[in-house]
Each structure stands twice: as structure tokens, then as C-alpha cells.
Amino acid sequence: AQSVSQHNHHVILSEAASLELGCNYSYGGTVNLFWYVQYPGQHLQLLLKYFSGDPLVKGIKGFEAEFIKSKFSFNLRKPSVQWSDTAEYFCAVNRDSSASKIIFGSGTRLSIRP
Amino acid sequence: EAQVTQNPRYLITVTGKKLTVTCSQNMNHEYMSWYRQDPGLGLRQIYYSMNVEVTDKGDVPEGYKVSRKEKRNFPLILESPSPNQTSLYFCASSPMGWNEQYFGPGTRLTVT
């Protein structure tokens, strides 16, 4: 069965530190990949997505992610985090078919120390 | 304003008492979906709909029903709620496929 793993459950960083959150998926075929963010008390919103093309994807608020097909990974990165990046981050995958379901990871809580 | 609305936002009920959580979107989106969010488990898809009268099961459909009679509405029905359905529920809509989902504010359900 298709699955998504986010191994970091809670990450604590200081402001200006670099960030990398891991995401691995199990499906071997063509996939669409997403990162969503949930700021405290707010709706989930899309950070970035990968459908095809350049495997390095840039999203909002300075985030980027790199799709490495050989590693089944789609890690999220940011060179320098801010206190306002405190949130929960979810990776999601669906098979390359608009008719298929979408699978979310268990989420990574990011806490930034001011 | 483009949005997904859910009602109620908070609900406490008892085991076995049928309930419906409504979801409505004003963006004319094709796709709609229901998720539950539980600590340590992330979001799990319950049901989704690709258009009017077209629905399919997600990962955790047991104990839930949905219907999509109109494009804008996608209610979630719990015919006989049980305590293990205590959770935070999110509705989402997307213009086509899972290109970009717009999430509602969530409904916190407690079943005693």
C-alpha cells in the first residue's frame, strides 16, 4: 500500500538556522508531491508542489523542496528559518492519476526559538 | 471571498446519535475531500469526490458516509458515531485533481 513517512516528529531550531524536513514515500510509479503547512490556529495551506519537470521546486515564503526519484524522497528545505515558520508541516503524495486518493504523512512540528 | 466553510466548528455528542457535518465551497471546484487529523497520524483521507454524484473511499472510510448532490456541498455523515471517531475533521476542495487543495477551518468532534 502507498505510504508517506515523515521521520522527524518534532524539530526545534533557533532563528536563522537552516531547515530540512524529510519526506519519503513508498509508491514506485509516477507521483505528484506536495508540502502543506498549518500555522497555529490557521487553515492548512499549500507550500509547494511537484508534478513534473525541474525536480527542485520553489514555494512560498522561501521554502523549496527537491524530488529525488531514486530515493523516493521529497525533502523540504529553507536556508534560514524565522520565528514565524513555527507550524506543522505535512508531506502528501498521490499517484499520477487525478482519480486516485491522496496520502498525507504524519506531520512534523517545527518550533523556532526566537 | 473564496472559501471552504464547515459547520459546526465544535460538536460534542453521544455514541450512536446520527450527525452530519456540512462542508460548502464557493469556488466552483470539482474535487472535494474529507480528512480526519489525529495526533501522530497526520491527516487521513476519509472520502473524496471528483464531481457531482462521483465519490470514492479514502484510507479510513469505515463508519462514515458522504454525498455530493450539488457541486458546492459535500456533507460528512456519521450514522452511528463511536468514541474512536473523536477527532478533528477537515474538508477541502480543489479545482482539478489534487493540484491545490483549499482547506476549511476544521470541525472538532467529541463522541462520548
Side-chain angles (χ1 to χ4, degrees), chain B residues 49-99:
Chain B
S49 169
M50 293 169 280
N51 212 327
V52 175
E53 303 291 3
V54 181
T55 62
D56 206 349
K57 296 177 181 178
D59 261 356
V60 288
E62 294 78 20
Y64 304 94
K65 282 175 57 177
V66 292
S67 68
R68 187 96 180 270
K69 293 185 169 58
E70 317 163 85
K71 201 170 188 179
R72 63 182 293 126
N73 296 324
F74 190 45
L76 179 69
I77 303 155
L78 285 72
E79 294 269 4
S80 183
S82 62
N84 65 12
Q85 292 177 298
T86 292
S87 188
L88 178 59
Y89 291 86
F90 289 100
C91 180
S93 72
S94 181
M96 181 60 70
W98 305 115
N99 192 21

Side-chain angles (χ1 to χ4, degrees), chain A residues 2 9 32 34 36 38 41-46 49 51 88 90 92-95 97-107, chain B residues 4 31 33 35 37-38 40-45 48 50 56-59 88 90 96-106:
Chain A
Q2 190 177 349
H9 298 296
N32 300 320
F34 309 84
Y36 279 84
Q38 187 177 28
Q42 294 189 27
H43 304 188
L44 277 95
Q45 57 184 281
L46 182 69
K49 61 189 177 189
F51 277 31
E88 189 151 18
F90 295 93
V93 177
N94 91 290
R95 286 166 26 204
S97 161
S98 59
S100 72
K101 58 189 177 184
I102 186 166
I103 308 291
F104 279 75
S106 56
Chain B
V4 178
Y31 276 57
S33 184
Y35 299 90
Q37 183 179 14
D38 302 289
L41 297 177
L43 277 82
R44 291 180 292 167
Q45 193 174 39
Y48 60 100
M50 293 169 280
D56 206 349
K57 296 177 181 178
D59 261 356
L88 178 59
F90 289 100
M96 181 60 70
W98 305 115
N99 192 21
E100 177 173 357
Q101 293 189 80
Y102 293 77
F103 282 82

Side-chain angles (χ1 to χ4, degrees), chain A residues 4 7 36 53 59 68 82 86 90 96 102 113:
Chain A
V4 179
H7 301 295
Y36 279 84
I68 304 179
Q82 302 169 305
T86 296
F90 295 93
D96 188 24
I102 186 166
R113 290 189 289 247

